[in-house]
Amino acid sequence: LPMGDGMPPPSHAILNVLPAFMMCADSDMAAECDNPYDTRYRPERLLIYDTHPGGIGLADQAAPLFVTLMERAVQLIRSCGCGPDTGCPACVQHMHCNEYNAVLSKASAIIVLEHTLAAEGERAAAAAAHAARQAADEAARATAVAAEAARLQLRP
């Protein structure tokens, strides 16, 4: 599956589930969708943004929900009864796509979302392990300081 085919559909699916989590209209947020015929380089990424000039804070509200939004987007795509290839407006198409839903693949969307979720899970696990190590180190330092203080008080 071509990588480019998998980037707009998961972004569209995220936009389609977003109103279940936030007060917004479907035109308040948009996704970065590349023109399939454009020759300039753009990184492949899941990017959603406020469509209002200067923003109204919706992207900031959506950021902490992004993992949940991706999980829900996978559920939406898998449960949609439309065709297996290009999807429909209920799952991977979006009414306000600036590229007119030109490049869509439900299978690519699921792959991108599931791999992104797996990577996010690994990142979260690594962050939790790092925080646990820091807490253990801090506790060991506090114990050492307390032991040294007790030792100094026992001196004649």
Side-chain angles (χ1 to χ4, degrees):
L1 300 170
M3 178 67 167
D5 289 2
M7 298 315 288
S11 299
H12 292 170
I14 289 167
L15 290 173
N16 287 337
V17 300
L18 191 62
F21 294 89
M22 297 172 38
M23 292 291 293
C24 63
D26 66 343
S27 62
D28 289 336
M29 298 282 286
E32 179 180 72
C33 296
D34 292 335
N35 181 327
Y37 306 108
D38 195 355
T39 57
R40 68 187 170 113
Y41 171 77
R42 268 195 169 164
E44 299 291 348
R45 59 189 173 186
L46 296 174
L47 177 71
I48 61 171
Y49 58 90
D50 275 300
T51 58
H52 301 279
I56 58 173
L58 294 174
D60 287 338
Q61 291 176 14
L65 302 171
F66 211 70
V67 169
T68 302
L69 293 170
M70 287 190 295
E71 291 168 344
R72 274 301 199 42
V74 170
Q75 292 172 1
L76 173 69
I77 297 166
R78 287 193 182 281
S79 66
C80 190
C82 68
D85 296 329
T86 60
C88 70
C91 62
V92 298
Q93 294 179 13
H94 195 259
M95 173 89 70
H96 302 285
C97 177
N98 59 346
E99 293 302 329
Y100 309 102
N101 296 301
V103 181
L104 299 176
S105 167
K106 285 176 71 173
S108 293
I110 291 170
I111 290 169
V112 167
L113 286 167
E114 287 179 342
H115 281 88
T116 304
L117 284 166
E120 186 60 26
E122 291 171 7
R123 187 204 62 78
H130 179 72
R133 279 192 305 275
Q134 283 185 316
D137 290 348
E138 189 62 34
R141 277 192 290 279
T143 301
V145 167
E148 182 63 16
R151 185 184 67 79
L152 290 174
Q153 285 180 355
L154 293 177
R155 281 190 157 168

